[in-house]
Amino acid sequence: MPQIRRLPTALVNRIAAGEVVERPAAALKELVENAIDAGARRIGVVLTDGGLTRLEVTDDGCGMTPDEMGLALERHATSKLPDEAIEMVATLGFRGEALPSIASVARLTLESRPKGAADGWRRVVDHGETVEDAPAALPVGTRVRVEQIFAKVPARRKFLRTPRSEYIACLDIVRRLAMARPDIAFTLENGAEGKIRKALATQTDEGLSNRVAQIVARELKDNAVEIELERDGPHGPMRLSGLAGLPTYNRGVADHQYLFVNGRPVKDKLLTGAVRGAYSDMLARDRHAVLALFLDVPPEDVDVNVHPAKTEVRFRDSTGVRGFIVSGLRQALATGDRRSAQGPDRAAMERWQAEPVHEPAPAMRSIFESRDWSAPQQRVAEPRVEYTPRPDAALPQGRAEEAAPIENEVAEYPLGIARGQVANTYIVAESKDALILVDQHAAHERLVLERLKRAGAGEATQRSQALLVPDVVEMDEADCDRLEDAAEGLARFGLTVERFGPAAMLVRSVPSAIAKADTGKLLRDLADDIAKHGKQEDSGSLLLAERLEYVLATMACHGSVRAGRVLSVAEMNALLREMEATPRSGQCNHGRPTWVKLSMEDVEKLFGRH
């Protein structure tokens, strides 16, 4: 058997590099974090071929002396832990192994000049071997260049992706770090195939929300609510800040969720699960919120020494943190809950174009050409023409009501007053300064869900309606088991069910808000929901309260006004008034908007009045 031996330093560094430097983006993350910890106000990143050929980070931070540069290239040497209290670390980096790990698998050039020094210093390490150690001319700060990454480790090099893919990974790293520090200016250049791409935030002190909107999407600020909450904890306050997108402003993937703990970008299952729980009754299951959340907790309440790349954390009170995020997000969204995504979809608006008329249509031209435009000798009564639809013509499904004047008190209604119904699905309303279209099914679905939630907090007699003759619903035995396990939670919202033999359930009462629902379809859908959301997910099993949110959404769908139902003017106006008074009425339970607004100025533009 081979004997146990100490590994040589170069091999140890290469092993460490396998954990810390898996691709150029990982090396870039370590270098930019070092620049931030050095107190830089401006950080510049230059890439060639997405970092495969070269990556360089320049900062105007505190700089290092030649002796400090030598120590920085040794493993586990750092200035970020003044004592042994690693649980109190307040910097992004602290392990002291990034630079030697990178230098073991690439050619690393480290140049630095501290404040007050007449000159800088350069040290070059080529795959673990020092090849240059000499003075250098550069301004105060530090410049680190990494070239030929994994050039002498072909087994690692072949796993790297295309320059374009590596650039996207590097861009994501810098974007996340730039979001957390609006007081630092960031620039990013990438040269590939003769092209240079420039990106990111070049201004300092622009504010957190402005920085996030600038990096994520300009329209996010108009389609999000700002978060600023604080709660006392055992070792100090917890703070939650950032921007949370409206549920109607969503994406098909979760890549647009940016999460930070004490200024550190993380991809943590607990946090992503909390976000999903907060939006659970406001988004479709295949849609994801767009947000940037910054959680600040006392250092002793979070362990950042969990993963070599420092992308995962562990909380002392994970349940309390999760509850704080869920309640904080819902509280913040309640401030903008009646808003929908700002304005109609651009592509839809572009279809509202008047057809250009270059000359009269043939039928119209024949009328003009056959008329005698000379002064008539005497007036002749023209016959009255009756317009009747062809028997085979499809009549439009729309109707208008007599337009009542918008009085002062009516003008105060944000959603206006009903003017008609289109396709027996969309309510047309007029406010003081806009035309509003409301999806009656989506809107009523949200209203019913909120009623069910309120009923859950009220008296049992108020939230349920007993059936004169209980309904018996035959189901699979597995579905019956799921509903029986959830019976106590369902009863809180007015749905009382009991086991009725091995393959049937007995329904004794239903929530008052959905008294006319088909109990058979309702129970089958509920069983499907429990089966799906009661399983282990990425963030662990959902809490009972969150599973019930999905269940309530299904119940609300069964009890809402369907598309295709004719509503009276009184019913339409009642729906509008309830929407104005109901939380989160701007989006349905699946994240779609319940109403859109077209300003009168936009209407006038459609007709060329502006």
Side-chain angles (χ1 to χ4, degrees):
M1 293 295 292
Q3 294 182 344
I4 297 175
R5 68 184 181 98
R6 292 184 182 275
L7 298 178
T9 301
L11 182 57
V12 170
N13 286 335
R14 288 177 59 182
I15 293 173
E19 298 178 335
V20 178
V21 192
E22 58 179 324
R23 62 192 305 185
L28 179 62
K29 174 180 178 293
E30 299 292 340
L31 298 181
V32 175
E33 287 182 348
N34 281 345
I36 293 173
D37 289 339
R41 294 284 291 172
R42 294 188 176 276
I43 299 175
V45 178
V46 179
L47 307 174
T48 301
D49 297 325
L52 292 172
T53 302
R54 177 177 70 104
L55 67 86
E56 181 176 296
V57 177
T58 305
D59 68 68
D60 60 354
C62 62
M64 294 178 286
T65 65
D67 291 341
E68 289 174 327
M69 292 171 62
L71 281 174
L73 289 167
E74 295 182 10
R75 292 193 73 220
H76 305 309
T78 181
S79 63
K80 302 170 186 179
L81 288 175
D83 52 37
E84 297 181 4
I86 191 173
E87 68 278 2
M88 299 298 292
V89 64
T91 54
L92 295 176
F94 57 88
R95 292 176 179 269
E97 58 183 1
L99 288 179
S101 297
I102 296 170
S104 69
V105 294
R107 180 183 177 90
L108 182 140
T109 302
L110 177 62
E111 299 173 300
S112 191
R113 175 186 168 189
K115 292 180 181 179
D119 298 302
W121 197 263
R122 176 190 298 117
R123 179 165 291 193
V124 181
V125 182
D126 190 356
H127 291 81
E129 181 180 351
T130 302
V131 296
E132 184 179 349
D133 197 12
L138 74 157
V140 173
T142 301
R143 179 166 57 227
V144 186
R145 186 183 306 112
V146 179
E147 301 167 290
Q148 305 169 15
I149 190 167
F150 296 136
K152 297 183 179 180
V153 192
R156 297 294 304 277
R157 180 83 181 183
K158 69 180 182 180
F159 284 101
L160 297 179
R161 305 182 68 181
T162 63
R164 175 63 180 169
S165 297
E166 296 299 339
Y167 166 69
I168 294 300
C170 290
L171 176 61
D172 183 66
I173 289 292
V174 183
R175 279 159 57 98
R176 291 176 185 272
L177 290 168
M179 265 185 243
R181 294 300 299 267
D183 57 323
I184 302 176
F186 289 80
T187 59
L188 173 63
E189 298 182 12
N190 179 50
E193 301 176 354
K195 298 179 182 178
I196 296 179
R197 300 174 182 269
K198 296 185 178 182
L200 287 183
T202 58
Q203 303 297 320
T204 60
D205 299 322
E206 56 186 343
L208 185 62
S209 59
N210 289 332
R211 173 62 65 89
V212 168
Q214 180 184 359
I215 293 176
V216 178
R218 293 286 184 181
E219 67 271 16
L220 176 61
K221 196 171 181 181
D222 295 327
N223 292 283
V225 293
E226 292 194 31
I227 302 174
E228 195 64 48
L229 299 169
E230 184 173 315
R231 177 182 295 178
D232 290 334
H235 299 100
M238 289 192 298
R239 296 184 181 88
L240 184 67
S241 57
L243 281 179
L246 295 173
T248 47
Y249 184 78
N250 54 60
R251 291 289 187 273
V253 293
D255 293 351
H256 302 275
Q257 295 179 359
Y258 302 92
L259 307 173
F260 304 82
V261 176
N262 291 350
R264 184 188 308 277
V266 297
K267 296 181 179 179
D268 187 78
K269 295 178 181 178
L270 173 74
L271 301 182
T272 55
V275 170
R276 186 167 55 248
Y279 281 86
S280 61
D281 64 338
M282 294 178 274
L283 281 179
R285 290 157 196 170
D286 59 345
R287 306 299 294 178
H288 302 271
V290 178
L291 49 75
L293 290 184
F294 300 83
L295 177 66
D296 293 294
V297 299
E300 56 266 42
D301 287 342
V302 59
D303 183 3
V304 298
N305 190 26
V306 176
H307 189 275
K310 305 182 292 291
T311 57
E312 298 178 11
V313 294
R314 184 180 295 117
F315 295 98
R316 183 187 296 269
D317 181 13
S318 57
T319 302
V321 170
R322 180 189 176 93
F324 178 50
I325 294 174
V326 172
S327 61
L329 271 175
R330 291 190 172 181
Q331 179 180 336
L333 290 171
T335 64
D337 50 23
R338 296 170 187 84
R339 291 164 54 195
S340 180
Q342 298 300 298
D345 179 74
R346 182 182 296 274
M349 285 302 301
E350 288 175 352
R351 300 190 187 100
W352 286 81
Q353 299 293 331
E355 289 293 332
V357 180
H358 302 291
E359 61 178 2
M364 190 68 79
R365 185 170 61 245
S366 64
I367 293 175
F368 289 129
E369 292 173 350
S370 63
R371 292 290 298 270
D372 178 8
W373 295 100
S374 59
Q377 299 298 322
Q378 64 181 40
R379 184 176 299 276
V380 179
E382 297 183 357
R384 181 180 179 184
V385 179
E386 296 288 345
Y387 293 95
T388 58
R390 300 194 316 270
D392 59 340
L395 294 175
Q397 298 181 23
R399 59 194 178 83
E401 304 294 335
E402 183 177 354
I406 298 182
E407 305 293 345
N408 290 335
E409 60 177 341
V410 177
E412 296 177 0
Y413 294 141
L415 296 182
I417 55 178
R419 292 304 193 194
Q421 190 180 23
V422 178
N424 294 338
T425 301
Y426 303 101
I427 298 171
V428 181
E430 178 188 4
S431 68
K432 186 176 182 180
D433 59 351
L435 173 69
I436 294 172
L437 295 176
V438 178
D439 183 334
Q440 65 188 41
H441 173 68
H444 196 244
E445 191 175 356
R446 165 58 62 183
L447 300 181
V448 171
L449 176 59
E450 296 302 326
R451 289 180 205 159
L452 289 170
K453 287 183 179 180
R454 292 194 299 270
E459 296 293 332
T461 55
Q462 298 175 354
R463 59 178 177 252
S464 66
Q465 178 174 318
L467 300 181
L468 186 62
V469 178
D471 285 345
V472 178
V473 180
E474 295 184 354
M475 308 178 68
D476 290 340
E477 188 170 349
D479 288 340
C480 291
D481 290 341
R482 297 185 185 104
L483 289 172
E484 186 177 22
D485 291 341
E488 183 178 351
L490 296 175
R492 287 171 41 201
F493 299 96
L495 180 61
T496 306
V497 295
E498 298 175 7
R499 193 66 176 259
F500 193 69
M505 297 296 293
L506 192 70
V507 182
R508 292 195 175 277
S509 67
V510 295
S512 300
I514 58 170
K516 297 181 181 180
D518 183 321
T519 54
K521 291 181 179 179
L522 174 62
L523 260 61
R524 293 185 187 95
D525 284 352
L526 292 180
D528 290 342
D529 271 352
I530 295 170
K532 180 176 182 179
H533 298 288
K535 294 179 180 178
Q536 291 287 325
E537 299 194 355
D538 291 341
S539 61
S541 60
L542 288 172
L543 301 176
L544 173 62
E546 292 176 21
R547 291 209 303 270
L548 289 176
E549 293 283 358
Y550 289 107
V551 169
L552 289 180
T554 300
M555 293 166 67
C557 187
H558 279 268
S560 58
V561 170
R562 293 292 175 186
R565 174 180 164 184
V566 177
L567 299 179
S568 68
V569 176
E571 289 176 316
M572 289 187 281
N573 279 319
L575 185 68
L576 296 177
R577 301 294 79 79
E578 188 173 358
M579 288 176 66
E580 292 165 350
T582 300
R584 291 174 287 277
S585 61
Q587 61 276 328
C588 75
N589 310 339
H590 312 293
R592 295 189 296 269
T594 58
W595 59 275
V596 294
K597 178 178 180 180
L598 187 61
S599 69
M600 288 304 175
E601 181 179 351
D602 290 334
V603 173
E604 290 174 346
K605 286 180 181 178
L606 291 174
F607 290 94
R609 290 180 174 269
H610 275 289

